[in-house]
Amino acid sequence: MNESTGTSAQISVQAINPARHSARRQILFFSCVVFIASVATWLMADILWRGGLTGLEAAMLVLFVPLFGMVALGFVQAVFGFITLLLRRDTYEITATVPAALPTPAQLPATALLIPIYNEDVSRVYEGLRTMYLALAGVGMIDRFDFFILSDSTDPNKWIEEEVGWIDLCKQLKGFGRIFYRKRHIPLNRKSGNISDFCRRWGKRYRYMVVLDADSLMEAHTLVRMVQLMEANPQTGILQTAPQPIQAQTPLARMLQFAGHCYGPIFQAGLNYWQAGNGNFWGHNAIIRTAPFIEHCALPAMPGAEHARFMSHDYVEAALMRRANYQVWLAYTLGGSFENLPPTLIDCAKRDRRWCRGNFQHSWLLMAQGFKPINRLHLSLGILSYLCSPLWLAFLVMGMIQFRRETLLTEHSFDADIGISSYLDIGGGKLSLILFLVTLAMLTLPKALATLLVLIDREKRRAFGGTLRTVFSFVTEHVVSALMAPILMLFTSLSVAFVLLGREITWGAQRRDAGGIDWAGILRAHAWHTAAGLLAAEISYRIHPVFFLWMLPVTLGLIFSVPISALLSHDAFGRMLNRIGLFRTPPETDVSLMVAHMEKNLDVCRSQVPPPEWLRKHYGVAQVVLDPYINAAHVSLLRAKRKLSYPSTAYFQRLSDRLLTQGPDALNRRELLALLRNADSMTEAHNRLWKMPDRSLPEWWKMAMRHYNVLTGRPRSPLYR
């Protein structure tokens, strides 16, 4: 589809212009943040300043400023978001710039939907694509959208499964020429490199591209509205939706799903309040204006590294788009945008470890030429969000040392009345308690306000399971989150240490379902948390029994990290919570037809009998060598190459000989990938295998051929209509 086939007619009500009043919003917002953080810092200084400020106390005060500053930022953002949603009026809500009625197909320009994948569950990816395709066809808009599956998979079997699934999907949907598949031979620069490859090859054909994740799902109405919004606001370069989590099974995922639906809206509204058209890009479930993205958003190389690129590309691309004077908006009220969540605490930590390194790489760009101040703030907050964990850990250690000093200095009373304590006629210990309770309230109040918004709206209250279920879910989520906080703090502190020490952090495929409790993995991941919790509890009790009680919110979560992690990973427990209505969310109460259709097809896919265990490891390789249809399809998708040199030809011949005479286990993953990339070798391997006498075949190929003959005539793909 060519971009020129779409009209350029604007369908706006009125394009939004944030330049006039957004500065006043930002001044008001950050004045509140600075005021609250300053008062808290003043109180903390008064608590520490008793008989002079020691070096240790000065260090604690310095650490307190960014830690409480982030608390104040989240609190103020939630309060402003609460007021915005309560009043139901936001002059900078970009979704108000187009009419509610859908346009005609002729009014929409060509748009590409990009699905970058990396060793993903093929059934989930393709069923999500199928669901979106049918939904767009249902509203008569399928002619304006093309789908691109952009694979960087390094698993040979996933590669073949993706190809077979794509061909079967196109046949079932009559989608040839509208659903495209591309497998890059070298996954250079990860997802950002995959998107760049698309832009070089096909970008000029499309006015817009919608970037999705492997687990993304978007309703047809949402996709059409996104294109409308871009047409109505020609200075908008990126429009980011607020993805809603769905399909949570484990208790942890259900808890995060509830938090996303219940608390997410006020934080998103507050975020939009102060950033307006200076928003951020989250890397998926967003629409991008292709031409300025190609022209202005090429990622720079990392300083001091010739070929290294930024792992977290999204923040950088948003900053580059703003530098080119295109706006970046958060369409937080749009709806119809979905994603999945990590199923376990360990999976959350693995994902955060990758994001941690990506965010720390942004430190190179804080002083980049031409960046807007607010984009520098976005990059700084991304770094600080991970840096807060080791700062909190250091603050706790310093606090233990300081309290120990206080108990040894009998002439220095912790309750001495000086400064604010004297003025308010309260002791220093009471002032500490007040500051602690204020901090706790600032962490709790945003969630309480979000829950209040749900309770005062009859429809929302019903969607979350009623008053009692909503309140109980809020309380349970808050308590469990408090227990998880020190565990995640140690995980993130370790990730920061790895980054600062230069340890390599790989970007592997994300796990989408728990698959049962991995006790060995849980014990490996949390044994040191338990030991750290026991040690901290012992030290704090030896310092003073009162200090032991102060440290309980930290030590309890660490000591019980193993059972907490196991319980939160338990699928059966998650299903029980769903049955009783705990952590109920609107998509579960009023199930979207798209989500229901996809889940039904996925249940059919996953009910199929899998290949036997001995064949599962190399099932894709067996298919592409044995099946003439799959072999021909795979070869046809390989790019034609010039004639190879004799050493290269001899190398591929040796690989093919080992594959056929010894079986796939005789080749490592890299050798299998090399063989699969060579069209001549794959054609020859198929022909040779079926002509080899039975006595020359290894046992593995004999069993694979027997299994193939039994299955001949059955569907080759796990995808169903």
Side-chain angles (χ1 to χ4, degrees), residues 208-257:
Y208 306 113
M209 58 182 181
V210 178
V211 180
L212 304 173
D213 258 0
D215 58 5
S216 295
L217 187 69
M218 301 190 79
E219 293 183 350
H221 183 269
T222 302
L223 291 167
V224 173
R225 288 273 283 172
M226 289 167 69
V227 179
Q228 282 184 284
L229 287 167
M230 296 296 281
E231 288 284 275
N233 298 274
Q235 277 304 113
T236 297
I238 300 176
L239 179 69
Q240 174 67 62
T241 66
Q244 300 172 313
I246 57 171
Q247 296 180 304
Q249 300 296 327
T250 64
L252 175 68
R254 290 194 56 77
M255 188 178 74
L256 295 177
Q257 180 174 277

Side-chain angles (χ1 to χ4, degrees), residues 254 258 463-465 473 578-586 588-589:
R254 290 194 56 77
F258 171 81
F464 279 90
S473 297
N578 189 23
R579 285 195 298 272
I580 65 176
L582 192 63
F583 304 131
R584 180 70 53 82
T585 56
E588 294 173 326
T589 303

Side-chain angles (χ1 to χ4, degrees), residues 617-618 655 657-669 671-672:
K617 180 181 177 182
H618 297 296
L655 292 182
D657 289 341
R658 282 164 53 197
L659 174 67
L660 298 179
T661 59
Q662 301 177 43
D665 282 325
L667 281 70
N668 59 36
R669 181 183 60 83
E671 290 172 333
L672 283 172

Side-chain angles (χ1 to χ4, degrees), residues 350-568:
K350 289 179 179 178
R351 183 182 66 173
D352 273 358
R353 178 170 292 185
R354 300 192 299 267
W355 287 355
C356 176
R357 181 175 183 184
N359 277 267
F360 267 80
Q361 289 176 335
H362 296 161
S363 60
W364 293 104
L365 297 173
L366 292 180
M367 304 305 294
Q369 185 177 3
F371 276 12
K372 306 288 185 184
I374 200 165
N375 291 112
R376 300 186 201 276
L377 178 62
H378 279 306
L379 297 174
S380 300
L381 291 176
I383 297 170
L384 189 56
S385 65
Y386 286 95
L387 198 57
C388 276
S389 289
L391 293 183
W392 181 24
L393 179 60
F395 187 83
L396 290 175
V397 173
M398 291 180 183
M400 297 174 74
I401 298 172
Q402 175 65 15
F403 203 100
R404 176 61 176 167
R405 286 183 177 180
E406 295 287 349
T407 58
L408 294 176
L409 297 175
T410 54
E411 73 278 5
H412 182 187
S413 172
F414 191 72
D415 291 319
D417 293 340
I418 63 174
I420 301 174
S421 303
S422 176
Y423 180 76
L424 298 177
D425 194 26
I426 58 176
K430 292 180 180 178
L431 193 61
S432 300
L433 181 60
I434 290 173
L435 183 58
F436 172 77
L437 293 177
V438 167
T439 305
L440 192 63
M442 290 177 64
L443 292 171
T444 305
L445 188 59
K447 297 181 179 181
L449 291 176
T451 306
L452 179 62
L453 279 179
V454 170
L455 295 178
I456 62 179
D457 187 306
R458 182 178 178 181
E459 287 300 316
K460 288 183 180 179
R461 187 170 65 244
R462 182 193 66 83
F464 279 90
T467 301
L468 288 178
R469 288 190 178 96
T470 303
V471 172
F472 192 56
S473 297
F474 154 66
V475 173
T476 305
E477 188 279 334
H478 194 56
V479 171
V480 175
S481 294
L483 292 173
M484 287 168 49
I487 302 173
L488 295 174
M489 178 262 290
L490 287 188
F491 268 136
T492 306
S493 298
L494 183 63
S495 299
V496 172
F498 280 178
V499 171
L500 296 179
L501 292 173
R503 290 276 298 272
E504 181 65 24
I505 296 177
T506 59
W507 196 288
Q510 182 175 311
R511 195 164 62 137
R512 312 289 180 182
D513 52 73
I517 299 178
D518 178 13
W519 283 106
I522 288 174
L523 291 173
R524 283 195 305 269
H526 296 295
W528 68 289
H529 293 150
T530 304
L534 291 171
L535 180 62
E538 172 68 17
I539 293 174
S540 60
Y541 186 80
R542 288 179 179 273
I543 292 174
H544 199 281
V546 173
F547 188 64
F548 171 79
L549 296 177
W550 275 84
M551 288 292 291
L552 274 181
V554 175
T555 56
L556 274 179
L558 293 175
I559 291 171
F560 295 102
S561 57
V562 170
I564 288 173
S565 184
L567 188 63
L568 293 177

